[in-house]
Amino acid sequence: MKKGHSRQFRLVLYALWVYHLGMAFFFHQYLLDQGGDSLRYWELSSIPVEEADSWMAYWGVGTAFVQWLNFPLSHILGLGYASATLVYAGLSFVGFLLLAEWMANRLHLIPSRPTAAVAFLVLFLPNLHFWTAGVGKEAFLWLGLILVLIGSESISRKWGYLVLGILLSLMVRPIQGLVLCVAVLGVLPFHPALRHQRRYLLPLALFLILGIGAYRWILGSLEYGFHFRWIVDLLHWQQQYLESFGGRSSLPMSDYSLVEKLGTVLFRPFLWEADGFWTLAASLENSLFLVGVLGGSWAWYRTKARLPVPVFYQISLVYGLLLSLLFSYSLNNLGIFMRMKSSYSFLMLCFFYERIVYFWSSRAFSK
């Protein structure tokens, strides 16, 4: 944490850390009671290998990479699952710390200090804390995303953050890493600090985005055949696979229109769909997100000339929209939606919430 922060801001960070540790405890207990991927990641059993005592035998991308990172903690240091949860909670909290410091700098633009201070309440929403506080991919993806956003915002000084965050995202969940690359490439050519290189960066970014699309098509075509039909077949197989678990929160996504698909990914479960504590908590946060998007969009329309959208939020919005489209065609379970959208929906809400706070603050300050 940087020096020079106010006492009030430090208290917010301490409270946030205690809150995050509390979520780590709930995550730990939930996984012990319900089971899940997190335990298998830690036990190195999600992808069994022949040479179980060899660290490099676990090397790979996706789940393999997470197991490779866990190997020295579990097999060399001998940490238990509870200790591992604390390690992951500390790792993901770095992302919250970087976000809070960035938000603190942004909130200096808001005229009314008391109103600005309220903006930090959004940092305590539970969904993201829960999914990033324990052993799993979300902790790495969250940290990687924040590193990319911080690095992109201050590209001349913190480009190393951008590179590290992209690499981490690609290694942990390649498809999300590629989507993040597309979002970054789509926004960075318009970065104010890169305006003199724009005529070179625009065609380069377009070429790289097309290259990412071609790479994914070739990668899939080598396995499924050189035609575009395999994409539809793969998405259908993914939904059928998820339906095979017979979960109560499965949805007939293939029957929905595009608007219904996106609304489901972003805003469901709704309050009236709540069935138990976990779905109630999810529906309350989704309701807040829906109100934030509607109210923030109106506030954005009223104040966009006075408060331009920073690169940080531009990438967040593009990334969130692209992933929502991807998930709307590949997933069909409300619980999985809450986990997979946890990072980008949180940042999108931060953006819309900032617009509301700025609008209220401007009105209060002008009176």
Side-chain angles (χ1 to χ4, degrees):
M1 184 173 64
K2 296 178 182 178
K3 296 180 180 179
H5 288 308
S6 67
R7 179 175 178 271
Q8 292 81 0
F9 181 70
R10 290 197 299 271
L11 288 175
V12 169
L13 293 183
Y14 292 140
L16 192 65
W17 172 233
V18 172
Y19 180 75
H20 194 64
L21 285 179
M23 282 297 177
F25 172 78
F26 282 119
F27 184 93
H28 176 264
Q29 293 303 116
Y30 180 84
L31 265 292
L32 291 182
D33 292 339
Q34 304 293 328
D37 292 337
S38 178
L39 287 170
R40 290 187 286 272
Y41 293 154
W42 184 246
E43 296 166 354
L44 310 183
S45 59
S46 286
I47 302 180
V49 300
E50 294 182 2
E51 301 177 33
D53 293 327
S54 171
W55 186 16
M56 291 310 298
Y58 291 91
W59 175 257
V61 298
T63 298
F65 181 69
V66 176
Q67 293 191 165
W68 181 79
L69 291 174
N70 286 339
F71 183 91
L73 298 177
S74 61
H75 277 54
I76 298 177
L77 297 180
L79 297 182
Y81 184 65
S83 299
T85 301
L86 290 177
V87 171
Y88 272 73
L91 182 74
S92 59
F93 186 72
V94 174
F96 285 100
L97 181 61
L98 292 172
L99 174 62
E101 290 187 331
W102 185 84
M103 285 179 60
N105 293 329
R106 284 286 297 171
L107 293 175
H108 284 300
L109 302 173
I110 295 178
S112 173
R113 289 290 168 261
T115 308
V118 178
F120 286 107
L121 293 177
V122 75
L123 292 174
F124 291 85
L125 289 174
N127 187 47
L128 179 61
H129 283 277
F130 178 81
W131 290 114
T132 61
V135 178
K137 296 179 180 179
E138 268 59 44
F140 294 115
L141 291 170
W142 167 242
L143 178 59
L145 176 58
I146 292 297
L147 288 173
V148 167
L149 297 175
I150 296 292
S152 299
E153 184 70 29
S154 305
I155 187 72
S156 59
R157 295 183 295 108
K158 298 181 179 180
W159 59 268
Y161 284 27
L162 170 62
V163 174
L164 179 60
I166 287 288
L167 289 176
L168 187 59
S169 301
L170 286 170
M171 292 302 296
V172 173
R173 190 173 283 152
I175 187 63
Q176 280 191 228
L178 290 174
V179 172
L180 182 56
C181 287
V182 171
V184 170
L185 289 169
V187 171
L188 273 190
F190 303 96
H191 196 297
L194 302 175
R195 61 183 178 275
H196 297 302
Q197 294 81 30
R198 190 165 297 164
R199 66 175 187 171
Y200 306 108
L201 291 177
L202 276 173
L204 177 60
L206 180 60
F207 174 78
L208 291 175
I209 290 173
L210 292 175
I212 290 172
Y215 164 75
R216 282 302 304 167
W217 180 72
I218 292 173
L219 201 64
S221 297
L222 289 173
E223 183 174 354
Y224 299 101
F226 282 87
H227 48 73
F228 286 99
R229 191 177 66 254
W230 69 263
I231 300 175
V232 178
D233 293 341
L234 181 61
L235 293 175
H236 178 71
W237 174 86
Q238 172 76 9
Q239 291 199 352
Q240 292 294 108
Y241 172 73
L242 292 173
E243 287 176 0
S244 68
F245 291 100
R248 290 186 301 170
S249 58
S250 294
L251 298 168
M253 293 292 286
S254 57
D255 298 334
Y256 292 173
S257 67
L258 178 58
V259 173
E260 289 174 315
K261 290 177 188 287
L262 287 175
T264 297
V265 173
L266 291 171
F267 305 122
R268 291 182 65 182
F270 296 122
L271 276 173
W272 55 86
E273 296 176 306
D275 180 21
F277 173 79
W278 295 108
T279 52
L280 176 61
S283 63
L284 286 172
E285 187 161 330
N286 283 336
S287 298
L288 181 62
F289 182 48
L290 176 59
V291 172
V293 169
L294 295 175
S297 298
W298 181 78
W300 183 9
Y301 172 76
R302 296 292 301 273
T303 61
K304 59 183 177 182
R306 288 175 286 163
L307 188 65
V309 181
V311 170
F312 187 104
Y313 282 141
Q314 290 179 34
I315 295 176
S316 299
L317 294 172
V318 174
Y319 178 66
L321 180 59
L322 291 177
L323 276 185
S324 294
L325 284 169
L326 176 64
F327 294 156
S328 69
Y329 284 98
S330 59
L331 304 177
N332 61 0
N333 183 283
L334 290 177
I336 296 178
F337 285 149
M338 291 301 297
R339 173 165 61 90
M340 299 292 280
K341 74 178 182 181
S342 58
S343 59
Y344 71 80
S345 64
F346 184 86
L347 291 173
M348 292 171 76
L349 180 57
C350 284
F351 165 74
F352 288 112
Y353 190 55
E354 179 192 89
R355 298 287 140 167
I356 295 173
V357 170
Y358 182 82
F359 177 72
W360 282 346
S361 178
S362 300
R363 287 175 59 88
F365 191 74
S366 62
K367 290 181 180 179

